[in-house]
Amino acid sequence: MTAQDLPAPRLLALGDAAWTVEFGHSIDATLNARVMGLAQRLAAARQTEVGLAAVTDVVPSFRSLTVYFDPQAGDADAIGAHLMVLSQSSGLQHQEGRHWRLPVCFDADFAPDLQRLAEAKGLDPDAVTERLLQAQFRVYMIGFLPGFPYMGGLPPELAMPRLSSPRQRVPAHSLAVAGEMCAVYPWESPGGWNLLGRTPVRLFDPNHAQQPAMLAAGDLVRWYAVARDVYQRLYTLDQAGQLPREMFLATECAP
């Protein structure tokens, strides 16, 4: 698909201190690539364009980019116009951020929905977990909770609707799927996704000054299985602040 084949973006006001540039209405890799393309162009433009000095934050999602600004420090209409110019010329940016290999434990009490999903798909639980471990996931956006990664790349045969009755308490670190998406609950919270495992790694650390959320839009994630004793050892180290994120970085995610 070329830039000429893409639908025109829309500029939407979000109050008086933000603009949202919307590229479409679906969860789609091409739409997300347009979002990341605009984010990249905007980041470069902010280095040289005085008119963008009022921009305070940039938040990508599946299909749109929201740009926050200080309305007392800049001209809202001028910023909006600038965003439209950038969005028309940004094209596609299949951005690849960092590559992660993260541990997950599939013990039964960590994976209360694994057996049900396997039966619904005519698979055994080991076949489900093997497909998860073979898949490469792309972080489309962070949302819902601080550090909660919405990841595409779930094998289509594992797609599963949300629970008809959400749980009041989903344990922190739970690996979950819903629809064609995969995610991890960084905090204990209510939730209706299907729980298939648990990672010992914190995906949000408020004490991490530069980037509290471990994952970011554009990152690639692959999972590897660990036994319960390994999970517990890693979890204990992580809670004590002795498990640096960098140890889970990979030079690349194999296809």
Side-chain angles (χ1 to χ4, degrees):
M1 181 179 291
T2 66
Q4 290 74 22
D5 299 323
L6 300 172
R10 295 199 307 156
L11 184 68
L12 307 173
L14 188 64
D16 62 357
W19 290 108
T20 292
V21 181
E22 183 182 77
F23 290 99
H25 301 282
S26 61
I27 299 175
D28 177 86
T30 298
L31 289 182
N32 191 246
R34 295 184 73 188
V35 171
M36 301 312 296
L38 175 56
Q40 185 180 68
R41 287 294 306 278
L42 179 58
R46 291 176 67 186
Q47 302 301 312
T48 58
E49 299 289 341
V50 176
L52 296 174
V55 172
T56 59
D57 199 10
V58 177
V59 181
S61 75
F62 295 119
R63 57 186 180 85
S64 66
L65 187 78
T66 296
V67 179
Y68 294 89
F69 58 89
D70 181 351
Q72 295 183 334
D75 185 298
D77 291 337
I79 292 172
H82 205 145
L83 289 174
M84 290 305 289
V85 171
L86 292 174
S87 66
Q88 294 288 355
S89 60
S90 59
L92 303 177
Q93 177 61 40
H94 292 280
Q95 176 175 327
E96 289 192 11
R98 294 159 301 175
H99 297 229
W100 301 93
R101 290 189 71 251
L102 299 178
V104 59
C105 181
F106 295 112
D107 271 21
D109 57 327
F110 288 168
D113 299 317
L114 179 58
Q115 181 67 42
R116 179 176 54 81
L117 185 148
E119 291 176 356
K121 301 301 179 180
L123 301 169
D124 61 55
D126 287 344
V128 172
T129 59
E130 185 63 27
R131 283 165 170 78
L132 285 171
L133 297 176
Q134 291 175 350
Q136 176 174 275
F137 296 93
R138 177 180 294 273
V139 180
Y140 280 148
M141 62 175 285
I142 304 296
F144 171 55
L145 295 169
F148 186 100
Y150 288 88
M151 297 185 286
L154 184 71
E157 64 270 24
L158 300 185
M160 194 76 172
R162 295 169 184 256
L163 303 179
S164 57
S165 179
R167 293 182 171 91
Q168 293 185 357
R169 297 175 62 185
V170 173
H173 300 201
S174 293
L175 171 65
V177 301
E180 297 180 355
M181 304 297 294
C182 177
V184 176
Y185 286 82
W187 308 88
E188 181 182 286
S189 73
W193 291 40
N194 302 276
L195 308 185
L196 304 185
R198 198 174 300 175
T199 179
V201 181
R202 279 184 296 178
L203 296 191
F204 189 88
D205 181 359
N207 297 316
H208 198 286
Q210 291 186 330
Q211 187 178 335
M214 181 175 179
L215 304 180
D219 285 2
L220 300 177
V221 176
R222 292 181 70 92
W223 298 99
Y224 68 93
V226 295
R228 183 62 171 263
D229 61 332
V230 176
Y231 169 93
Q232 193 59 53
R233 184 166 66 252
L234 292 174
Y235 178 83
T236 300
L237 290 171
D238 190 55
Q239 293 299 301
Q242 299 175 3
L243 200 64
R245 293 174 174 179
E246 291 73 22
M247 70 177 292
F248 299 108
L249 283 171
T251 55
E252 63 179 7
C253 284

